[in-house]
Amino acid sequence: PISLETLLATHASAPNPILAALDQVLSERNVLSTQNTQLWKLIEKQRAAYNQVLKEIERVRSERETYKTRLQAAG
């Protein structure tokens, strides 16, 4: 974790260390926010794909049972 002292020390040579540190923190926050949004979109996409696969599995199971019943009835 970054401390305020470390952050200010990193920007000590800037004309306005406090403003430079704040700019860095805001920039990092914006990058993390963007990454977070992208990850949540990916999670939602994966969740939708997973649910689609579950529906497909249920359809195949139902189809299998239908064929199993027909096979038993035929012979």
Side-chain angles (χ1 to χ4, degrees):
I2 260 184
S3 70
L4 181 58
E5 292 78 22
T6 304
L7 192 59
L8 290 174
T10 303
H11 296 284
S13 62
N16 187 341
I18 295 173
L19 185 58
L22 182 59
D23 281 343
Q24 179 187 342
V25 169
L26 287 175
S27 176
E28 288 177 10
R29 191 239 11 217
N30 291 339
V31 167
L32 292 173
S33 178
T34 300
Q35 289 175 345
N36 189 49
T37 300
Q38 290 171 343
L39 288 171
W40 276 109
K41 285 180 183 176
L42 182 60
I43 288 169
E44 290 302 320
K45 185 177 179 181
Q46 292 296 318
R47 186 177 290 153
Y50 175 78
N51 287 332
Q52 187 62 38
V53 167
L54 288 179
K55 287 178 186 177
E56 186 67 15
I57 287 172
E58 189 56 39
R59 185 192 65 75
V60 169
R61 283 182 180 156
S62 176
E63 193 175 294
R64 181 188 65 189
E65 289 302 316
T66 301
Y67 288 133
K68 193 186 278 187
T69 303
R70 286 183 188 173
L71 183 61
Q72 288 173 350

